[in-house]
């Protein structure tokens, strides 16, 4: 038999657990005496019955014969057990289950964080549905998605904050944080080994940090690079520098791949406006000229 002791305001709730099932519950108070903390007002309820006043000596006998676990911090109850030389250990249980006379141990692997405590997943789902009911109507597909999110993050407060925050709290939706790099001094475009006509047409004055790193790693010296960087950090111009340098110096052409036709049209128009005049000259190296037409069918864009 296990006796689970849950401290509550002014009292203690007891769960009597055997083979993983709650066989009964009870309540008891403690009072300070010259001999230390002692129990009073002990009441027991068996399954389906009312609370019944029970002698406190029966509680002491039960505690001596059982494995005692404290589901919360209570110096008074710990002192009471110590006076009687009854060993006890700490255990985390779902408080919502305990209120309904159910016993569900929880930990970081199986529980869900909610309001500063751990509760079981099923109670967390039920509480989430209750809270969403107050916020307004949510379709079944939204509930399915939020339940999957709940199982993933194991934090009900964060899930609820994502759909209806009372106030802005970035810590609840923060996924990751990247520390800013120190300000770097980057090269001027004219200081690089690039054709002067391209440097002038590019519209770039100083390199961005990721572009500077690519140049330092051999971008303009024929090295193969895989560049992974954030949006709008300057990746496209890295390809322009390498590709246009090779083309204008007679070492090949430039192939620029994008996943969408609309984006291909956009990039084609941009390259055409910026570098079109450079493509129409005959290169001194003997490479034949490449004339860009005024219009092309959608999906057939190249340089």
């Amino acid at each position: 038999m296990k006796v689970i002791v849950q401290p509550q305001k002014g009292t203690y709730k007891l769960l009597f657990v055997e083979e993983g099932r709650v066989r009964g519950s009870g309540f008891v108070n403690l009072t300070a005496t010259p001999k230390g903390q002692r129990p009073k007002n002990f009441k027991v309820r068996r399954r389906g019955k009312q609370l019944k006043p029970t002698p406190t000596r029966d509680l002491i006998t039960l505690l001596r014969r059982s494995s005692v676990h404290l589901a919360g911090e209570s110096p008074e109850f710990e002192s009471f057990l110590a006076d009687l030389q009854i060993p006890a250990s700490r255990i985390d249980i779902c408080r919502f289950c305990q209120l309904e006379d159910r016993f569900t141990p929880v930990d970081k692997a199986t529980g869900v964080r909610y309001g500063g405590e751990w509760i079981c997943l099923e109670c967390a789902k039920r509480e989430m549905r209750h809270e969403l009911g107050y916020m307004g109507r949510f379709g079944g597909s939204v509930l399915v998605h939020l339940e999957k999110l709940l199982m993933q993050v194991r934090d009900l407060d964060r899930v609820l904050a994502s759909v209806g925050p009372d106030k802005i709290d970035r810590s609840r939706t923060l996924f990751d944080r990247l520390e800013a790099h120190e300000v770097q001094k980057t090269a001027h475009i004219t200081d690089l080994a690039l054709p002067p006509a391209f440097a002038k047409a590019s519209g770039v004055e100083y390199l961005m940090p990721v572009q500077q790193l690519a140049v330092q790693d051999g971008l303009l010296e024929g090295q193969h690079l895989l560049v992974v960087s954030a949006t709008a950090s300057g990746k496209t111009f890295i390809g322009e520098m390498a590709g246009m340098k090779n083309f204008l110096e007679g070492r090949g052409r430039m192939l620029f791949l994008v996943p969408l036709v609309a984006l291909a049209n956009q990039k084609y128009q941009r390259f055409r406006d910026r570098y079109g005049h450079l493509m129409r000259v005959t290169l001194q190296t003997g490479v034949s000229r490449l004339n860009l037409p005024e219009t092309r069918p959608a999906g057939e864009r190249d340089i």
Side-chain angles (χ1 to χ4, degrees), residues 268-269 272 280 292-298 300-301:
Y268 171 78
Q269 187 63 41
R272 180 177 178 276
R280 294 189 178 93
L292 290 177
E294 294 299 325
T295 58
R296 284 286 190 88
E300 297 184 4
R301 301 290 190 256

Side-chain angles (χ1 to χ4, degrees), residues 3-5 12-16 24-28 42 59 77:
V3 177
I4 312 299
V5 182
Y12 298 87
K13 181 170 184 179
L14 310 176
L15 293 181
F16 310 127
S25 62
F27 292 90
V28 67
F42 179 44
L59 170 64
F77 208 95

Side-chain angles (χ1 to χ4, degrees), residues 13-39:
K13 181 170 184 179
L14 310 176
L15 293 181
F16 310 127
V17 181
E18 191 172 10
E19 296 180 352
R21 298 182 60 185
V22 176
R23 303 298 181 180
S25 62
F27 292 90
V28 67
N29 297 333
L30 293 182
T31 183
T33 71
K35 296 183 179 180
Q37 298 288 339
R38 291 296 182 266

Side-chain angles (χ1 to χ4, degrees), residues 125 127-147 149 158-166:
K125 290 180 180 179
E127 286 300 308
M128 182 179 68
R129 288 192 289 268
H130 289 167
E131 293 293 334
L132 293 177
Y134 299 141
M135 296 178 186
R137 291 189 175 184
F138 287 86
S141 59
V142 175
L143 289 175
V144 171
H145 169 73
L146 291 178
E147 287 186 357
L149 183 62
R158 291 182 63 185
V159 173
L160 293 176
S162 68
V163 294
D166 295 329

Side-chain angles (χ1 to χ4, degrees), residues 66 91 201 206 269 299:
S66 305
I91 188 173
Y206 286 92
Q269 187 63 41

Side-chain angles (χ1 to χ4, degrees), residues 55-66:
T56 56
R57 64 175 179 272
D58 291 354
L59 170 64
I60 296 175
T61 300
L62 179 62
L63 292 175
R64 290 188 184 280
R65 295 177 177 176
S66 305

